[in-house]
Amino acid sequence: MIQGTIRNRVRALRFHNGEMSQAELGGRIGLTRQTVAAIEAGRYSPSLEAAFRMAQVFGVPLEEVFQWDPHTDA
């Protein structure tokens, strides 16, 4: 199996977008604050649909929110 880790910039993007709270982001994409916190911490991988919704909220391409790092293991 190919090894790797999904990295994200959700926290940085929230702060670059008016210091958006986890609860506000969650409300805009249909997730709970706790789920957003888990995604930011790398403890949970969002669905593809949720990932695209996050990118849309931040107005950036998906790859600016999530990146695949093939050189690490979770």
Side-chain angles (χ1 to χ4, degrees):
M1 182 168 92
I2 296 173
Q3 301 296 313
T5 304
I6 296 174
R7 304 249 182 244
N8 74 77
R9 297 186 55 242
V10 174
R11 184 181 177 109
L13 289 166
R14 279 192 309 104
F15 283 96
H16 287 123
N17 283 273
E19 299 187 14
M20 182 185 303
S21 70
Q22 292 175 335
E24 181 181 351
L25 176 59
R28 292 178 68 176
I29 62 173
L31 297 177
T32 65
R33 183 201 61 78
Q34 292 85 353
T35 301
V36 171
I39 291 168
E40 280 187 12
R43 295 189 316 266
Y44 178 77
S45 295
S47 69
L48 190 54
E49 183 179 346
F52 274 106
R53 287 194 305 249
M54 280 187 176
Q56 185 173 7
V57 166
F58 295 132
V60 297
L62 182 62
E63 61 268 20
E64 287 191 31
V65 184
F66 297 96
Q67 303 81 39
W68 175 252
D69 183 353
H71 303 293
T72 60
D73 196 11

